[in-house]
Amino acid sequence: MAVGHLVAAQPEARRLNGLATPLVDPAAEARRLLELQRAAYRRDGAPDAAARRAALTRLERLLLDNRDGFAQAIAADYGTRSPHETTFGEVVPTLNAIRHSRRHLARWMRPQRRPVAWTFRPARAWIRYQPLGCIGIIAPWNYPLYLALAPLVDALAAGNRALIKPSEYTPRLAELLARVIGRAFAAEEVAVVTGGPDVAAAFASLPFDHLLFTGSTAIGRRVMAAAAANLTPVTLELGGKSPVIVGPDYGVRSAARSIAFGKFFNAGQTCVAPDYVLAPTHMVRPLAVALLREAQRAYPTVADNPDYTAMITERHHARLVAAIEAARAAGAEVLAHEDAGAAGLRKIGPTIVLAPPAGSLLMQEEIFGPVLPILPYDTIEAAIATVNAGDRPLALYCLTHDAALREAVLARTLSGGVTLNGTLLHVTQDGLPFGGVGPSGIGAYHGRAGFERFSHARGIFQPGRFNGLELVRPPYGFVARRIARLLIGR
């Protein structure tokens, strides 16, 4: 296990699995770094807009200078992952987030006036956004760079300090991130702590001013329980079974193109990837065939294709292989784009499963891989009922040009976010909040929503020179009775 700011500084560091491992307790180091940051916050207070923009610019330069190294580290952690997927899925969205926040920061920081009730006039009321202090960020393995740095962008924009805990499943990326952040930022500003599940558990139990976790719902429950001991507020970005509802008016080829893009990018290891498709009964088979053709066009081969991502671990690979075989054994039709040698590289080719049993793993758990069930529906009411029968998903996709159908889906379902006539794209919009609802998450960030998430909206009231309500004080008499009648309205 390695700790940011110590990776390069510890001469006695030993090697474990090819990674530098300083002889230090990461959990104790995390506590020390948090205390260091809290002391710095108490000493220096909230940074001004210029200091925040400068911090964002340092983060931008760090990302630009190390983008190739990040892509190589992530590819090594996965076994196979295209550098283009890292560029488009992680580097570009993070750069966009930095530039968006830097551009709008002064306006976000400006005090916001609030109305004053007539009974308190003349007076002024306003909100002042102030940094919470020290933010904890627990990042997952599927987009280990973006989901570590995008929350950091919002934390820095809001004037905070931050500690980041990357996933133990991406140790090379975590070590590199610790090293380069240690060069760009003082430990009292931003630091990275790496290690295994024990370190993550200790990290979640630290008394942060806010804790953001991205990962599974099961682990999210544990994180929330650990944070509750300190009354630490949390933002949980979880997941769930994000559906695609295909309208009967939508073209099969267009639907296949959008769904295949969202599902097979990063081999389906995306929290907002389409998890299952609801299509009119007569469209199910044509859509399945079109999806498979689209996958074959995008990925002519699987095993030796550097553009096609591997499963992150053998356990994840085995879980999905077993789920596919269970669905096939239960009578579901399976269409797969596979080739020899894929399994040995922890790869699963794009796979379409027609109407798997409702009780199967594919329909009970988030799939998180390149396996896509397609379910038939006869009416849009039935499709909506299927979505609403499950937990509220992190994302929902609706493909239709029919305004009435689209409005029915939007009005009668609830999800974290929505892309219409496409997939994934709402996540990359810095002007929109990103977050789940219910089991798919608590709270939202990105852009202004992230700035506000990591700020305290401090309400401030200033009475005028004359305050009529000061007349209402003991001993109560005629004036108090008249004012009370006036305020009550009778």
Side-chain angles (χ1 to χ4, degrees):
M1 294 177 288
V3 177
H5 301 284
L6 296 181
V7 170
Q10 293 283 337
E12 71 275 26
R14 57 192 175 90
R15 305 295 295 183
L16 180 64
N17 295 328
L19 300 178
T21 305
L23 301 177
V24 65
D25 176 10
E29 181 64 4
R31 288 192 294 272
R32 186 192 73 81
L33 288 168
L34 178 58
E35 286 306 314
L36 180 70
Q37 292 189 357
R38 299 188 86 165
Y41 178 77
R42 289 192 295 268
R43 181 190 70 227
D44 299 336
D48 60 17
R52 300 183 197 191
R53 280 195 290 263
L56 292 171
T57 297
R58 271 183 285 156
L59 186 61
E60 178 184 43
R61 178 49 53 193
L62 174 158
L63 192 56
L64 290 171
D65 289 347
N66 295 280
R67 61 188 185 277
D68 292 338
F70 287 140
Q72 292 164 11
I74 294 171
D77 284 331
Y78 268 84
T80 303
R81 200 218 211 179
S82 168
H84 298 296
E85 291 200 339
T86 297
T87 295
F88 294 125
E90 308 213 50
V91 174
V92 170
T94 307
L95 288 172
N96 288 343
I98 292 169
R99 293 160 183 170
H100 178 85
S101 292
R102 196 168 52 201
R103 184 165 58 250
H104 295 285
L105 182 58
R107 180 165 55 86
W108 295 345
M109 292 178 65
R110 196 173 300 140
Q112 296 181 10
R113 294 189 62 179
R114 290 293 188 266
V116 175
W118 70 269
T119 49
F120 294 92
R121 295 174 186 169
R124 295 175 58 225
W126 67 96
I127 286 176
R128 181 188 181 101
Y129 286 102
Q130 293 186 262
L132 293 173
C134 301
I135 308 300
I137 300 168
I138 302 178
W141 53 263
N142 61 325
Y143 290 89
L145 183 65
Y146 176 56
L147 294 175
L149 297 188
L152 178 61
V153 171
D154 292 348
L156 293 175
N160 295 284
R161 298 157 194 274
L163 280 181
I164 302 171
K165 168 61 180 74
S167 171
E168 64 272 18
Y169 288 132
T170 53
R172 294 165 183 83
L173 182 279
E175 185 180 17
L176 177 58
L177 191 63
R179 189 163 61 248
V180 299
I181 282 184
R183 289 199 296 259
F185 293 91
E188 64 186 27
E189 297 175 291
V190 182
V192 176
V193 177
T194 68
D198 55 332
V199 178
F203 190 93
S205 67
L206 292 174
F208 290 106
D209 297 298
H210 196 102
L211 179 62
L212 183 142
F213 166 81
T214 306
S216 72
T217 301
I219 302 300
R221 289 190 176 96
R222 295 188 215 169
V223 168
M224 190 173 185
N230 297 309
L231 295 180
T232 298
V234 296
T235 298
L236 303 179
E237 301 300 344
L238 307 176
K241 299 189 71 62
S242 298
V244 181
I245 298 178
V246 180
D249 65 302
Y250 209 74
V252 167
R253 289 184 63 187
S254 296
R257 191 177 305 115
S258 292
I259 296 168
F261 164 74
K263 183 60 178 180
F264 303 126
F265 190 90
N266 203 36
Q269 297 169 106
T270 304
C271 58
V272 291
D275 199 85
Y276 65 99
V277 175
L278 291 160
T281 301
H282 71 277
M283 291 178 64
V284 167
R285 172 159 284 283
L287 180 59
V289 172
L291 274 165
L292 196 62
R293 285 176 180 163
E294 190 66 29
Q296 291 166 336
R297 183 201 61 77
Y299 310 103
T301 62
V302 174
D304 63 349
N305 191 336
D307 289 338
Y308 194 73
T309 301
M311 297 291 97
I312 187 67
T313 68
E314 186 57 45
R315 181 172 63 85
H316 286 75
H317 180 272
R319 169 182 168 270
L320 284 184
V321 169
I324 295 167
E325 291 309 312
R328 182 182 280 119
E333 183 179 359
V334 177
L335 306 179
H337 173 39
E338 287 284 10
D339 53 33
L345 298 171
R346 294 201 314 270
K347 291 186 176 184
I348 297 174
T351 302
I352 316 299
V353 182
L354 279 64
S360 65
L361 182 147
L362 293 178
M363 294 310 301
Q364 292 297 311
E365 298 181 11
E366 183 178 6
I367 293 171
F368 227 71
V371 184
L372 183 65
I374 304 182
L375 307 179
Y377 73 81
D378 294 322
T379 65
I380 193 61
E381 288 75 18
I384 291 171
T386 298
V387 173
N388 289 339
D391 290 333
R392 290 166 174 171
L394 183 57
L396 182 144
Y397 305 108
C398 182
L399 309 181
T400 183
H401 300 296
D402 184 331
L405 188 153
R406 181 175 64 238
E407 180 56 29
V409 170
L410 292 176
R412 294 164 55 192
T413 62
L414 187 59
S415 67
V418 176
T419 294
L420 300 172
N421 296 347
T423 58
L424 305 188
L425 300 179
H426 65 283
V427 179
T428 62
Q429 308 308 305
D430 294 303
L432 291 177
F434 172 72
V437 57
S440 62
I442 297 173
Y445 69 112
H446 285 195
R448 178 156 198 157
F451 171 86
E452 294 181 357
R453 173 65 48 181
F454 297 133
S455 298
H456 172 56
R458 194 178 192 184
I460 303 171
F461 179 79
Q462 180 179 331
R465 290 181 178 273
F466 171 75
N467 185 355
L469 286 182
E470 288 186 354
L471 298 173
V472 183
R473 52 188 166 185
Y476 299 115
F478 172 77
V479 173
R481 289 194 298 272
R482 290 296 300 268
I483 291 177
R485 291 175 62 185
L486 179 64
L487 294 179
I488 292 171
R490 62 174 65 180

